[in-house]
Amino acid sequence: ATLALGPAPGLGVGVLVSVVLFLRHSARPHIPELGEVPGERVYRNVNRHDVVTRPELVIARVDAPLSFTSARPIAERLAGLVRNRPEARYLVIDCTAINTADFTGVDMLGTLSEELSATGVEVHLAAMRGPVSDILSRDAAYRTMVEQGRVHRSVPEAVDALGGPAGGSA
Protein backbone atom coordinates (compact mmCIF):
# COMPACT_ATOMS: atom_id res chain seq x y z
CA ALA A 1 0.00 0.00 0.00
CA THR A 2 2.88 2.35 0.76
CA LEU A 3 4.40 1.80 -2.69
CA ALA A 4 1.08 2.25 -4.46
CA LEU A 5 -0.46 5.05 -2.36
CA GLY A 6 2.46 6.82 -0.70
CA PRO A 7 3.73 6.93 2.89
CA ALA A 8 0.76 8.51 4.72
CA PRO A 9 -2.00 6.43 3.07
CA GLY A 10 0.23 3.32 3.34
CA LEU A 11 0.64 3.91 7.05
CA GLY A 12 -3.12 4.38 7.39
CA VAL A 13 -3.75 1.06 5.62
CA GLY A 14 -1.23 -0.63 7.95
CA VAL A 15 -2.95 0.75 11.05
CA LEU A 16 -6.38 -0.28 9.72
CA VAL A 17 -5.20 -3.81 8.95
CA SER A 18 -3.67 -4.08 12.46
CA VAL A 19 -6.94 -2.97 14.11
CA VAL A 20 -8.97 -5.42 12.03
CA LEU A 21 -6.61 -8.30 12.90
CA PHE A 22 -6.72 -7.37 16.60
CA LEU A 23 -10.53 -7.31 16.64
CA ARG A 24 -10.67 -10.59 14.72
CA HIS A 25 -8.36 -12.26 17.25
CA SER A 26 -10.35 -10.83 20.17
CA ALA A 27 -13.59 -12.13 18.71
CA ARG A 28 -12.15 -15.66 18.40
CA PRO A 29 -9.74 -16.14 21.29
CA HIS A 30 -7.76 -19.35 21.62
CA ILE A 31 -9.09 -21.30 24.63
CA PRO A 32 -7.66 -24.81 24.74
CA GLU A 33 -8.88 -27.49 27.11
CA LEU A 34 -6.02 -28.81 29.22
CA GLY A 35 -5.11 -32.18 30.68
CA GLU A 36 -2.26 -33.42 32.84
CA VAL A 37 0.84 -34.86 31.21
CA PRO A 38 1.26 -38.31 32.84
CA GLY A 39 4.04 -38.41 35.41
CA GLU A 40 4.35 -34.62 35.53
CA ARG A 41 2.40 -31.79 37.16
CA VAL A 42 2.16 -29.99 33.82
CA TYR A 43 -1.07 -29.23 31.98
CA ARG A 44 -1.19 -29.07 28.17
CA ASN A 45 -3.67 -28.81 25.31
CA VAL A 46 -5.69 -32.04 25.03
CA ASN A 47 -5.64 -31.79 21.22
CA ARG A 48 -1.85 -31.53 20.95
CA HIS A 49 -0.50 -33.71 23.73
CA ASP A 50 -1.03 -37.13 25.30
CA VAL A 51 -2.72 -36.06 28.54
CA VAL A 52 -5.04 -37.39 31.23
CA THR A 53 -8.34 -35.72 32.15
CA ARG A 54 -11.03 -36.33 34.76
CA PRO A 55 -14.70 -36.38 33.71
CA GLU A 56 -15.79 -34.06 36.54
CA LEU A 57 -13.02 -31.52 35.93
CA VAL A 58 -12.68 -29.17 32.96
CA ILE A 59 -9.45 -27.17 32.78
CA ALA A 60 -9.15 -24.44 30.15
CA ARG A 61 -6.56 -21.76 29.44
CA VAL A 62 -7.77 -18.38 28.22
CA ASP A 63 -5.22 -16.99 25.75
CA ALA A 64 -6.72 -13.50 25.49
CA PRO A 65 -7.33 -10.40 27.57
CA LEU A 66 -10.63 -10.16 29.43
CA SER A 67 -11.98 -7.24 27.44
CA PHE A 68 -15.21 -6.02 25.91
CA THR A 69 -14.21 -7.51 22.55
CA SER A 70 -13.41 -10.97 23.91
CA ALA A 71 -15.72 -11.38 26.93
CA ARG A 72 -18.66 -12.94 25.12
CA PRO A 73 -16.62 -15.40 23.01
CA ILE A 74 -14.66 -16.44 26.11
CA ALA A 75 -17.83 -17.05 28.13
CA GLU A 76 -19.43 -19.00 25.28
CA ARG A 77 -16.36 -21.19 24.75
CA LEU A 78 -15.95 -21.96 28.47
CA ALA A 79 -19.66 -22.71 28.88
CA GLY A 80 -19.47 -24.93 25.78
CA LEU A 81 -16.58 -26.94 27.23
CA VAL A 82 -18.63 -27.55 30.36
CA ARG A 83 -21.78 -28.39 28.37
CA ASN A 84 -19.83 -30.98 26.36
CA ARG A 85 -18.85 -32.73 29.60
CA PRO A 86 -22.11 -33.70 31.37
CA GLU A 87 -20.18 -35.07 34.38
CA ALA A 88 -18.39 -31.73 34.91
CA ARG A 89 -18.59 -30.32 38.42
CA TYR A 90 -15.58 -27.99 38.28
CA LEU A 91 -14.18 -25.54 35.74
CA VAL A 92 -10.62 -24.41 36.37
CA ILE A 93 -9.64 -21.41 34.27
CA ASP A 94 -5.88 -21.17 33.74
CA CYS A 95 -5.30 -17.41 33.70
CA THR A 96 -1.56 -17.40 32.89
CA ALA A 97 -2.12 -15.85 29.46
CA ILE A 98 -4.59 -13.17 30.57
CA ASN A 99 -2.59 -9.93 30.70
CA THR A 100 -5.34 -7.35 31.23
CA ALA A 101 -9.02 -6.99 32.03
CA ASP A 102 -11.67 -4.33 31.68
CA PHE A 103 -15.11 -3.92 33.25
CA THR A 104 -16.86 -6.12 30.69
CA GLY A 105 -14.33 -8.93 31.12
CA VAL A 106 -14.55 -8.77 34.91
CA ASP A 107 -18.34 -8.77 34.76
CA MET A 108 -18.25 -11.76 32.38
CA LEU A 109 -16.28 -13.83 34.90
CA GLY A 110 -18.79 -13.12 37.65
CA THR A 111 -21.76 -13.83 35.41
CA LEU A 112 -20.20 -17.04 34.08
CA SER A 113 -19.48 -18.21 37.62
CA GLU A 114 -23.09 -17.56 38.67
CA GLU A 115 -24.58 -19.24 35.59
CA LEU A 116 -22.40 -22.34 35.91
CA SER A 117 -23.03 -22.49 39.66
CA ALA A 118 -26.76 -22.71 38.91
CA THR A 119 -26.02 -25.87 36.88
CA GLY A 120 -23.88 -27.40 39.64
CA VAL A 121 -20.47 -26.40 38.24
CA GLU A 122 -18.03 -24.51 40.44
CA VAL A 123 -15.60 -22.09 38.75
CA HIS A 124 -12.01 -21.83 39.99
CA LEU A 125 -9.30 -19.44 38.77
CA ALA A 126 -5.63 -20.39 38.65
CA ALA A 127 -2.35 -18.58 38.02
CA MET A 128 -3.82 -15.08 37.87
CA ARG A 129 -1.24 -12.38 37.13
CA GLY A 130 -0.84 -9.72 39.80
CA PRO A 131 -2.02 -6.71 37.76
CA VAL A 132 -5.08 -8.63 36.54
CA SER A 133 -5.84 -9.77 40.07
CA ASP A 134 -5.63 -6.13 41.18
CA ILE A 135 -8.26 -5.20 38.59
CA LEU A 136 -10.50 -8.16 39.47
CA SER A 137 -10.24 -7.46 43.21
CA ARG A 138 -12.51 -4.45 42.71
CA ASP A 139 -15.34 -6.86 41.83
CA ALA A 140 -17.48 -8.43 44.57
CA ALA A 141 -17.84 -11.74 42.70
CA TYR A 142 -14.05 -12.13 42.49
CA ARG A 143 -13.63 -11.26 46.17
CA THR A 144 -16.22 -13.93 46.98
CA MET A 145 -14.26 -16.47 44.92
CA VAL A 146 -11.13 -15.59 46.88
CA GLU A 147 -12.97 -15.94 50.21
CA GLN A 148 -14.35 -19.33 49.13
CA GLY A 149 -10.88 -20.60 48.21
CA ARG A 150 -11.61 -20.73 44.48
CA VAL A 151 -8.60 -18.65 43.40
CA HIS A 152 -5.34 -20.60 43.28
CA ARG A 153 -1.66 -19.82 42.62
CA SER A 154 -1.34 -22.51 39.94
CA VAL A 155 -3.30 -25.12 38.02
CA PRO A 156 -1.74 -28.00 40.01
CA GLU A 157 -2.75 -26.25 43.24
CA ALA A 158 -6.33 -25.90 41.96
CA VAL A 159 -6.43 -29.56 40.92
CA ASP A 160 -5.11 -30.60 44.34
CA ALA A 161 -7.84 -28.54 46.01
CA LEU A 162 -10.42 -30.41 43.92
CA GLY A 163 -9.27 -33.91 44.76
CA GLY A 164 -5.83 -34.53 43.33
CA PRO A 165 -4.13 -35.01 39.97
CA ALA A 166 -6.15 -35.25 36.77
CA GLY A 167 -5.53 -38.98 36.57
CA GLY A 168 -6.29 -39.47 40.27
CA SER A 169 -10.00 -40.30 40.15
CA ALA A 170 -11.08 -41.07 36.62
Side-chain angles (χ1 to χ4, degrees):
T2 302
L3 291 175
L5 304 173
L11 183 61
V13 169
V15 169
L16 181 64
V17 168
S18 294
V19 169
V20 168
L21 291 175
F22 171 77
L23 292 174
R24 181 175 171 244
H25 175 71
S26 293
R28 295 186 308 183
H30 184 242
I31 304 175
E33 181 178 357
L34 307 178
E36 185 177 0
V37 176
E40 301 179 32
R41 294 305 310 266
V42 176
Y43 293 82
R44 299 283 185 241
N45 187 328
V46 298
N47 295 322
R48 296 177 185 220
H49 300 275
D50 185 24
V51 296
V52 178
T53 61
R54 290 180 10 203
E56 76 280 3
L57 175 61
V58 176
I59 305 170
R61 186 183 64 239
V62 175
D63 293 344
L66 296 178
S67 67
F68 72 97
T69 58
S70 63
R72 184 178 179 148
I74 290 171
E76 289 173 356
R77 171 76 171 130
L78 292 172
L81 287 171
V82 170
R83 253 191 324 276
N84 290 337
R85 185 93 58 83
E87 309 90 358
R89 295 294 160 251
Y90 305 102
L91 169 64
V92 174
I93 302 172
D94 178 350
C95 302
T96 54
I98 299 172
N99 60 8
T100 189
D102 64 17
F103 175 78
T104 305
V106 172
D107 187 54
M108 175 276 297
L109 269 183
T111 302
L112 177 68
S113 181
E114 289 174 12
E115 289 174 358
L116 291 179
S117 180
T119 67
V121 176
E122 190 174 83
V123 175
H124 288 249
L125 303 176
M128 182 74 64
R129 292 175 181 223
V132 177
S133 179
D134 294 344
I135 293 167
L136 290 173
S137 67
R138 300 177 199 148
D139 182 62
Y142 178 76
R143 290 192 303 271
T144 299
M145 291 179 81
V146 171
E147 291 167 7
Q148 294 174 345
R150 296 189 292 138
V151 178
H152 310 276
R153 289 181 297 163
S154 66
V155 172
E157 183 181 290
V159 171
D160 288 345
L162 300 172
S169 60

